[in-house]
Amino acid sequence: MTQTDQPVMFNPFEPGFTDNPYPHLKTLREQVPVHEHPMGFWLLLRHADVTELLRAKLSVEEHNVTVGQIRELREAAYGDGAPRSDGLSMLDRDPPDHDRLRKLVTKAFTMRTIEKLEPRVVELVDQALDRMADAGRFNLVQELAFPLPFRVITEMMGMPETDEVRLRELTGTLVRSLEPVNDPELLQQIADADRQITELTIDAINWKRQHPADDLLTALIAAEDDGDKLSEQELVSQVVLLYVAGHETTVNLIGNGTLALLNHPDQRALLASRPDLDGNAVEELLRFDSPVQMSRRVTLEPYEVDGNVIAPGTAVLLSIASANRDPAVFGLDADKVLIERANATHDTTRRLVAVSIIVWVPRWHGWRGVRPWGVSYDGSLTCGWTAMSSGMGASTSAAPRCFRWLSGS
Protein backbone atom coordinates (compact mmCIF):
# COMPACT_ATOMS: atom_id res chain seq x y z
CA MET A 1 0.00 0.00 0.00
CA THR A 2 1.42 3.36 -1.00
CA GLN A 3 1.29 6.45 1.14
CA THR A 4 -1.14 8.14 -1.24
CA ASP A 5 -3.90 5.51 -0.94
CA GLN A 6 -3.31 4.72 2.73
CA PRO A 7 -6.64 5.40 4.51
CA VAL A 8 -5.23 6.23 7.93
CA MET A 9 -1.83 7.00 9.37
CA PHE A 10 -0.22 7.01 12.80
CA ASN A 11 -0.70 10.47 14.29
CA PRO A 12 0.17 10.82 18.01
CA PHE A 13 -0.79 14.50 17.82
CA GLU A 14 -4.39 13.67 16.96
CA PRO A 15 -6.79 15.29 19.45
CA GLY A 16 -7.50 12.90 22.29
CA PHE A 17 -4.60 10.55 21.54
CA THR A 18 -2.73 11.33 24.75
CA ASP A 19 -5.84 10.76 26.87
CA ASN A 20 -6.77 7.51 25.12
CA PRO A 21 -4.60 6.22 22.26
CA TYR A 22 -6.40 2.89 21.91
CA PRO A 23 -9.20 3.83 19.46
CA HIS A 24 -6.61 5.29 17.07
CA LEU A 25 -4.35 2.26 17.49
CA LYS A 26 -7.28 -0.10 16.91
CA THR A 27 -8.13 1.63 13.64
CA LEU A 28 -4.53 1.39 12.51
CA ARG A 29 -4.25 -2.27 13.56
CA GLU A 30 -7.39 -3.15 11.59
CA GLN A 31 -6.67 -1.11 8.45
CA VAL A 32 -2.87 -0.68 8.16
CA PRO A 33 -1.21 -3.01 10.71
CA VAL A 34 2.13 -2.62 8.94
CA HIS A 35 2.80 0.70 7.28
CA GLU A 36 5.47 3.21 6.39
CA HIS A 37 5.10 6.72 7.75
CA PRO A 38 5.96 9.76 5.59
CA MET A 39 8.76 10.53 8.05
CA GLY A 40 10.46 7.32 6.96
CA PHE A 41 9.89 4.98 9.88
CA TRP A 42 7.69 1.87 9.84
CA LEU A 43 5.05 1.01 12.43
CA LEU A 44 3.95 -2.50 13.47
CA LEU A 45 0.73 -2.93 15.44
CA ARG A 46 -0.25 -6.62 15.48
CA HIS A 47 0.86 -8.89 18.29
CA ALA A 48 2.38 -11.49 15.96
CA ASP A 49 4.41 -8.95 13.97
CA VAL A 50 5.63 -7.10 17.06
CA THR A 51 6.62 -10.32 18.81
CA GLU A 52 8.43 -11.66 15.76
CA LEU A 53 10.43 -8.48 15.31
CA LEU A 54 11.39 -8.37 18.99
CA ARG A 55 12.75 -11.89 18.58
CA ALA A 56 14.64 -10.95 15.42
CA LYS A 57 17.45 -9.25 17.38
CA LEU A 58 17.54 -6.08 15.32
CA SER A 59 19.63 -3.10 16.36
CA VAL A 60 18.67 -0.57 19.04
CA GLU A 61 21.53 1.83 18.29
CA GLU A 62 20.26 5.08 16.80
CA HIS A 63 23.38 5.79 14.78
CA ASN A 64 22.34 2.87 12.54
CA VAL A 65 19.31 4.84 11.29
CA THR A 66 20.16 6.07 7.80
CA VAL A 67 16.69 6.16 6.18
CA GLY A 68 14.00 8.78 6.78
CA GLN A 69 13.76 12.08 8.62
CA ILE A 70 13.95 10.91 12.25
CA ARG A 71 17.69 11.24 12.65
CA GLU A 72 17.84 14.61 10.89
CA LEU A 73 14.96 16.02 12.91
CA ARG A 74 16.45 14.81 16.18
CA GLU A 75 19.86 16.29 15.42
CA ALA A 76 18.28 19.56 14.28
CA ALA A 77 16.22 19.79 17.46
CA TYR A 78 18.82 18.73 20.01
CA GLY A 79 22.16 19.25 18.32
CA ASP A 80 24.97 17.67 20.32
CA GLY A 81 22.87 17.82 23.50
CA ALA A 82 20.40 15.08 22.63
CA PRO A 83 19.24 13.04 25.65
CA ARG A 84 21.10 9.72 25.91
CA SER A 85 23.29 10.96 23.06
CA ASP A 86 26.27 9.01 24.36
CA GLY A 87 24.40 5.75 23.67
CA LEU A 88 26.06 4.03 26.63
CA SER A 89 22.91 2.88 28.42
CA MET A 90 22.40 -0.87 28.10
CA LEU A 91 19.03 -0.12 26.46
CA ASP A 92 20.87 1.74 23.70
CA ARG A 93 23.50 -0.89 22.92
CA ASP A 94 23.52 -4.00 20.76
CA PRO A 95 25.28 -7.25 21.69
CA PRO A 96 28.00 -7.83 22.67
CA ASP A 97 28.12 -4.40 24.38
CA HIS A 98 24.58 -4.83 25.71
CA ASP A 99 25.41 -8.24 27.18
CA ARG A 100 28.54 -6.89 28.85
CA LEU A 101 26.71 -3.94 30.42
CA ARG A 102 23.78 -6.08 31.53
CA LYS A 103 26.11 -8.58 33.14
CA LEU A 104 27.91 -5.88 35.11
CA VAL A 105 24.67 -4.20 36.22
CA THR A 106 23.12 -7.48 37.35
CA LYS A 107 26.21 -8.14 39.44
CA ALA A 108 24.97 -5.24 41.56
CA PHE A 109 21.20 -5.45 40.96
CA THR A 110 20.66 -8.63 42.96
CA MET A 111 17.61 -10.12 44.62
CA ARG A 112 19.21 -9.43 47.99
CA THR A 113 19.26 -5.73 47.11
CA ILE A 114 15.57 -5.89 46.26
CA GLU A 115 14.27 -8.15 49.01
CA LYS A 116 15.77 -6.18 51.88
CA LEU A 117 13.65 -3.17 50.84
CA GLU A 118 10.35 -5.01 51.19
CA PRO A 119 9.53 -3.85 54.75
CA ARG A 120 10.33 -0.29 53.76
CA VAL A 121 8.05 -0.46 50.70
CA VAL A 122 5.17 -1.73 52.85
CA GLU A 123 5.85 1.02 55.39
CA LEU A 124 5.83 3.73 52.71
CA VAL A 125 2.59 2.43 51.20
CA ASP A 126 0.85 2.30 54.58
CA GLN A 127 2.02 5.81 55.45
CA ALA A 128 0.70 7.16 52.14
CA LEU A 129 -2.63 5.39 52.56
CA ASP A 130 -3.00 6.75 56.08
CA ARG A 131 -2.42 10.28 54.82
CA MET A 132 -4.93 9.81 52.01
CA ALA A 133 -7.52 8.30 54.35
CA ASP A 134 -7.14 11.22 56.74
CA ALA A 135 -7.47 13.73 53.90
CA GLY A 136 -10.58 12.05 52.51
CA ARG A 137 -9.87 13.44 49.01
CA PHE A 138 -6.52 13.05 47.28
CA ASN A 139 -4.56 12.87 44.05
CA LEU A 140 -3.29 9.28 43.77
CA VAL A 141 -0.34 10.14 41.54
CA GLN A 142 0.87 12.97 43.77
CA GLU A 143 0.31 11.11 47.04
CA LEU A 144 1.37 7.56 46.13
CA ALA A 145 2.16 6.65 42.54
CA PHE A 146 5.01 9.15 42.13
CA PRO A 147 6.56 9.46 45.61
CA LEU A 148 6.55 5.71 46.34
CA PRO A 149 8.87 4.49 43.55
CA PHE A 150 10.91 7.68 43.70
CA ARG A 151 11.63 7.16 47.40
CA VAL A 152 12.22 3.41 47.04
CA ILE A 153 14.70 3.79 44.19
CA THR A 154 16.44 6.69 45.96
CA GLU A 155 16.95 4.56 49.06
CA MET A 156 17.86 1.45 47.07
CA MET A 157 20.47 3.40 45.12
CA GLY A 158 21.76 5.12 48.25
CA MET A 159 21.59 8.53 46.63
CA PRO A 160 22.72 11.53 48.72
CA GLU A 161 20.25 14.09 49.97
CA THR A 162 19.05 16.36 47.19
CA ASP A 163 16.16 18.60 46.21
CA GLU A 164 13.62 15.87 45.53
CA VAL A 165 10.99 18.23 44.17
CA ARG A 166 13.44 19.63 41.64
CA LEU A 167 14.72 16.17 40.71
CA ARG A 168 11.17 14.96 40.16
CA GLU A 169 10.56 17.92 37.87
CA LEU A 170 13.71 17.17 35.89
CA THR A 171 12.95 13.46 35.49
CA GLY A 172 9.36 14.26 34.52
CA THR A 173 10.69 16.52 31.77
CA LEU A 174 13.36 14.06 30.61
CA VAL A 175 10.95 11.19 30.05
CA ARG A 176 9.01 13.39 27.64
CA SER A 177 11.81 12.51 25.21
CA LEU A 178 10.19 9.06 24.92
CA GLU A 179 7.00 10.64 23.53
CA PRO A 180 6.32 12.28 20.17
CA VAL A 181 7.24 15.95 20.59
CA ASN A 182 6.89 18.74 18.03
CA ASP A 183 7.42 21.72 20.34
CA PRO A 184 10.93 23.22 19.94
CA GLU A 185 10.73 24.83 23.38
CA LEU A 186 9.90 21.51 25.03
CA LEU A 187 12.71 19.81 23.11
CA GLN A 188 15.15 22.34 24.57
CA GLN A 189 13.72 21.80 28.06
CA ILE A 190 14.26 18.04 27.65
CA ALA A 191 17.88 18.59 26.62
CA ASP A 192 18.46 20.94 29.58
CA ALA A 193 16.89 18.43 32.00
CA ASP A 194 19.14 15.68 30.65
CA ARG A 195 22.26 17.79 31.22
CA GLN A 196 21.21 18.71 34.77
CA ILE A 197 20.38 15.11 35.70
CA THR A 198 23.71 13.97 34.31
CA GLU A 199 25.50 16.57 36.43
CA LEU A 200 23.56 15.52 39.53
CA THR A 201 24.41 11.87 38.84
CA ILE A 202 28.12 12.62 38.48
CA ASP A 203 28.04 14.52 41.77
CA ALA A 204 26.22 11.61 43.45
CA ILE A 205 28.78 9.09 42.17
CA ASN A 206 31.67 11.22 43.38
CA TRP A 207 29.97 11.58 46.79
CA LYS A 208 29.35 7.83 46.97
CA ARG A 209 33.01 7.05 46.27
CA GLN A 210 33.79 8.96 49.47
CA HIS A 211 30.84 7.47 51.38
CA PRO A 212 30.44 3.82 50.28
CA ALA A 213 27.61 1.83 51.84
CA ASP A 214 25.54 -1.31 51.41
CA ASP A 215 23.50 0.05 48.49
CA LEU A 216 23.08 -0.31 44.76
CA LEU A 217 25.17 2.70 43.75
CA THR A 218 28.16 1.46 45.73
CA ALA A 219 27.69 -1.98 44.17
CA LEU A 220 27.55 -0.51 40.65
CA ILE A 221 30.76 1.42 41.27
CA ALA A 222 32.48 -1.76 42.47
CA ALA A 223 30.87 -4.18 39.98
CA GLU A 224 33.49 -6.28 38.22
CA ASP A 225 33.48 -9.30 35.95
CA ASP A 226 36.83 -10.93 35.22
CA GLY A 227 38.57 -7.57 35.59
CA ASP A 228 35.99 -5.71 33.50
CA LYS A 229 34.34 -2.69 35.15
CA LEU A 230 31.98 0.04 34.05
CA SER A 231 33.74 3.10 32.69
CA GLU A 232 32.86 6.46 34.23
CA GLN A 233 30.54 7.36 31.34
CA GLU A 234 28.95 3.91 31.35
CA LEU A 235 28.36 4.14 35.08
CA VAL A 236 26.63 7.50 34.73
CA SER A 237 24.42 6.16 31.93
CA GLN A 238 23.31 3.06 33.86
CA VAL A 239 22.56 5.07 37.01
CA VAL A 240 20.46 7.58 35.07
CA LEU A 241 18.66 4.71 33.35
CA LEU A 242 17.81 2.90 36.60
CA TYR A 243 16.97 6.04 38.49
CA VAL A 244 14.82 7.82 35.92
CA ALA A 245 13.19 5.06 33.89
CA GLY A 246 12.69 2.82 36.91
CA HIS A 247 10.41 5.17 38.77
CA GLU A 248 8.58 6.51 35.71
CA THR A 249 7.25 3.09 34.64
CA THR A 250 6.11 2.40 38.20
CA VAL A 251 4.15 5.66 38.29
CA ASN A 252 2.39 4.56 35.10
CA LEU A 253 1.60 1.10 36.44
CA ILE A 254 0.09 2.32 39.72
CA GLY A 255 -1.86 5.17 38.15
CA ASN A 256 -3.12 3.34 35.06
CA GLY A 257 -3.83 0.13 36.99
CA THR A 258 -5.91 1.96 39.58
CA LEU A 259 -7.82 3.85 36.89
CA ALA A 260 -8.52 0.58 35.07
CA LEU A 261 -9.98 -0.96 38.23
CA LEU A 262 -12.08 2.12 38.88
CA ASN A 263 -13.45 1.86 35.34
CA HIS A 264 -14.16 -1.88 35.77
CA PRO A 265 -16.02 -2.05 39.10
CA ASP A 266 -16.96 -5.71 38.59
CA GLN A 267 -13.28 -6.63 38.33
CA ARG A 268 -12.47 -4.45 41.33
CA ALA A 269 -15.09 -6.30 43.36
CA LEU A 270 -13.78 -9.65 42.11
CA LEU A 271 -10.24 -8.76 43.12
CA ALA A 272 -11.45 -7.76 46.59
CA SER A 273 -13.21 -11.10 47.02
CA ARG A 274 -10.51 -13.26 45.39
CA PRO A 275 -7.07 -12.41 46.85
CA ASP A 276 -5.65 -15.44 45.05
CA LEU A 277 -6.03 -13.53 41.77
CA ASP A 278 -3.73 -10.64 42.66
CA GLY A 279 -0.72 -11.93 40.73
CA ASN A 280 -2.70 -12.51 37.55
CA ALA A 281 -4.48 -9.20 38.08
CA VAL A 282 -1.19 -7.29 37.98
CA GLU A 283 -0.21 -9.06 34.76
CA GLU A 284 -3.61 -8.22 33.26
CA LEU A 285 -3.28 -4.57 34.24
CA LEU A 286 0.18 -4.50 32.64
CA ARG A 287 -1.32 -5.95 29.47
CA PHE A 288 -4.34 -3.68 29.44
CA ASP A 289 -2.44 -0.39 29.77
CA SER A 290 1.28 -1.05 29.54
CA PRO A 291 3.69 1.35 31.29
CA VAL A 292 5.77 1.14 28.11
CA GLN A 293 3.60 1.93 25.09
CA MET A 294 6.19 1.83 22.33
CA SER A 295 9.57 0.30 21.54
CA ARG A 296 11.87 0.75 18.58
CA ARG A 297 14.38 -1.20 16.52
CA VAL A 298 16.64 -0.46 13.55
CA THR A 299 17.01 -2.80 10.59
CA LEU A 300 20.56 -3.74 9.60
CA GLU A 301 19.49 -5.75 6.57
CA PRO A 302 16.28 -6.09 4.56
CA TYR A 303 13.45 -7.22 6.84
CA GLU A 304 10.22 -8.66 5.44
CA VAL A 305 6.91 -8.41 7.27
CA ASP A 306 3.41 -8.96 5.88
CA GLY A 307 4.67 -8.78 2.30
CA ASN A 308 6.59 -5.54 2.87
CA VAL A 309 10.37 -5.31 2.70
CA ILE A 310 11.84 -2.76 5.08
CA ALA A 311 15.19 -1.39 3.90
CA PRO A 312 18.37 -1.55 6.02
CA GLY A 313 18.94 1.48 8.22
CA THR A 314 15.23 2.04 8.86
CA ALA A 315 13.69 2.82 12.24
CA VAL A 316 10.81 0.50 13.12
CA LEU A 317 8.38 1.45 15.88
CA LEU A 318 6.63 -1.37 17.72
CA SER A 319 3.28 -0.52 19.28
CA ILE A 320 3.26 -2.57 22.46
CA ALA A 321 0.01 -0.86 23.44
CA SER A 322 -1.69 -2.08 20.27
CA ALA A 323 -0.18 -5.56 20.39
CA ASN A 324 -1.44 -6.11 23.93
CA ARG A 325 -4.99 -5.28 22.78
CA ASP A 326 -4.86 -7.54 19.69
CA PRO A 327 -8.07 -9.64 19.57
CA ALA A 328 -6.22 -12.28 17.54
CA VAL A 329 -4.43 -13.19 20.77
CA PHE A 330 -6.66 -11.88 23.57
CA GLY A 331 -10.10 -12.31 22.01
CA LEU A 332 -12.93 -9.89 21.31
CA ASP A 333 -12.78 -8.71 24.92
CA ALA A 334 -9.16 -7.53 24.60
CA ASP A 335 -10.26 -3.98 25.41
CA LYS A 336 -11.62 -5.06 28.78
CA VAL A 337 -9.88 -5.80 32.08
CA LEU A 338 -10.42 -9.42 33.05
CA ILE A 339 -8.27 -10.32 36.04
CA GLU A 340 -9.01 -14.03 35.47
CA ARG A 341 -7.75 -13.85 31.87
CA ALA A 342 -6.01 -17.16 31.21
CA ASN A 343 -3.29 -15.77 28.93
CA ALA A 344 -2.54 -12.55 30.81
CA THR A 345 0.87 -14.09 31.57
CA HIS A 346 1.36 -15.39 28.02
CA ASP A 347 5.07 -15.59 27.23
CA THR A 348 4.86 -13.20 24.30
CA THR A 349 2.85 -10.75 26.39
CA ARG A 350 5.58 -10.83 29.01
CA ARG A 351 8.10 -10.10 26.26
CA LEU A 352 6.04 -7.14 25.07
CA VAL A 353 5.59 -5.72 28.57
CA ALA A 354 8.98 -6.47 30.07
CA VAL A 355 11.13 -5.07 27.27
CA SER A 356 13.82 -4.04 29.71
CA ILE A 357 15.07 -4.51 33.23
CA ILE A 358 13.33 -1.25 34.08
CA VAL A 359 9.87 -2.67 33.56
CA TRP A 360 10.61 -5.35 36.14
CA VAL A 361 10.91 -2.67 38.80
CA PRO A 362 7.23 -1.62 38.66
CA ARG A 363 6.16 -5.28 38.65
CA TRP A 364 8.08 -5.77 41.89
CA HIS A 365 6.72 -2.56 43.36
CA GLY A 366 3.22 -3.55 42.29
CA TRP A 367 3.36 -6.98 43.86
CA ARG A 368 5.48 -6.24 46.90
CA GLY A 369 4.01 -2.94 48.00
CA VAL A 370 0.97 -1.79 46.11
CA ARG A 371 -1.38 -4.68 46.78
CA PRO A 372 -3.36 -6.03 49.69
CA TRP A 373 -2.25 -9.66 49.62
CA GLY A 374 0.91 -11.75 49.39
CA VAL A 375 1.83 -13.76 46.31
CA SER A 376 4.53 -16.18 45.32
CA TYR A 377 5.90 -15.60 41.87
CA ASP A 378 8.66 -17.08 39.77
CA GLY A 379 8.85 -14.41 37.12
CA SER A 380 11.15 -13.46 34.30
CA LEU A 381 12.33 -10.20 32.84
CA THR A 382 13.54 -9.45 29.37
CA CYS A 383 16.59 -7.25 29.33
CA GLY A 384 17.34 -6.46 25.70
CA TRP A 385 17.87 -9.80 24.02
CA THR A 386 17.88 -12.41 26.77
CA ALA A 387 15.19 -13.48 29.22
CA MET A 388 16.43 -14.50 32.64
CA SER A 389 14.74 -15.59 35.83
CA SER A 390 14.16 -12.87 38.38
CA GLY A 391 14.20 -15.47 41.12
CA MET A 392 11.11 -14.10 42.85
CA GLY A 393 9.58 -16.80 44.98
CA ALA A 394 9.07 -15.68 48.58
CA SER A 395 5.55 -14.64 49.46
CA THR A 396 4.64 -11.66 51.61
CA SER A 397 2.70 -12.59 54.73
CA ALA A 398 2.00 -9.02 55.88
CA ALA A 399 -0.75 -7.46 53.81
CA PRO A 400 -0.33 -3.74 53.03
CA ARG A 401 -3.62 -1.91 52.73
CA CYS A 402 -3.11 -0.56 49.26
CA PHE A 403 -6.52 -1.08 47.72
CA ARG A 404 -8.58 -0.86 50.89
CA TRP A 405 -10.33 2.25 49.61
CA LEU A 406 -11.04 0.51 46.31
CA SER A 407 -12.42 -2.70 47.80
CA GLY A 408 -14.15 -1.06 50.75
CA SER A 409 -12.19 -3.15 53.24
Side-chain angles (χ1 to χ4, degrees), residues 244-271:
V244 176
H247 90 264
E248 180 67 20
T249 48
T250 311
V251 174
N252 295 343
L253 168 60
I254 297 173
N256 293 347
T258 301
L259 180 62
L261 289 175
L262 289 171
N263 288 332
H264 293 78
D266 60 324
Q267 297 301 297
R268 187 175 79 231
L270 178 60
L271 181 59

Side-chain angles (χ1 to χ4, degrees), residues 149-160:
F150 193 87
R151 171 50 56 186
V152 169
I153 292 177
T154 296
E155 295 184 8
M156 179 176 67
M157 297 287 290
M159 301 294 279

Side-chain angles (χ1 to χ4, degrees), residues 187-239:
L187 290 172
Q188 187 57 54
Q189 291 173 0
I190 292 171
D192 291 341
D194 179 64
R195 283 191 289 270
Q196 292 183 57
I197 289 176
T198 298
E199 292 172 0
L200 289 171
T201 301
I202 292 172
D203 291 341
I205 291 172
N206 291 335
W207 180 87
K208 183 57 66 175
R209 292 187 191 279
Q210 302 300 319
H211 303 86
D214 184 16
D215 54 45
L216 181 56
L217 184 52
T218 299
L220 284 170
I221 293 171
E224 182 176 343
D225 182 61
D226 292 333
D228 184 24
K229 299 188 67 172
L230 294 170
S231 70
E232 196 70 14
Q233 288 182 311
E234 290 172 341
L235 178 61
V236 171
S237 294
Q238 309 327 307
V239 171

Side-chain angles (χ1 to χ4, degrees), residues 239-355:
V239 171
V240 171
L241 172 66
L242 290 169
Y243 198 54
V244 176
H247 90 264
E248 180 67 20
T249 48
T250 311
V251 174
N252 295 343
L253 168 60
I254 297 173
N256 293 347
T258 301
L259 180 62
L261 289 175
L262 289 171
N263 288 332
H264 293 78
D266 60 324
Q267 297 301 297
R268 187 175 79 231
L270 178 60
L271 181 59
S273 65
R274 290 282 308 278
D276 58 299
L277 292 175
D278 65 347
N280 202 69
V282 171
E283 292 287 354
E284 171 67 354
L285 294 173
L286 284 166
R287 179 204 69 83
F288 179 75
D289 206 356
S290 173
V292 177
Q293 295 273 298
M294 192 84 68
S295 188
R296 53 113 173 101
R297 294 292 187 270
V298 182
T299 57
L300 298 179
E301 56 188 29
Y303 183 86
E304 184 172 353
V305 54
D306 196 34
N308 300 280
V309 178
I310 303 177
T314 302
V316 184
L317 299 187
L318 313 173
S319 178
I320 296 174
S322 171
N324 278 338
R325 297 283 190 99
D326 191 341
V329 175
F330 299 105
L332 298 179
D333 55 10
D335 287 324
K336 296 181 180 179
V337 173
L338 298 174
I339 64 172
E340 294 182 283
R341 189 181 297 277
N343 63 345
T345 56
H346 192 275
D347 178 66
T348 51
T349 303
R350 189 181 306 281
R351 179 181 293 271
L352 295 177
V353 173
V355 294

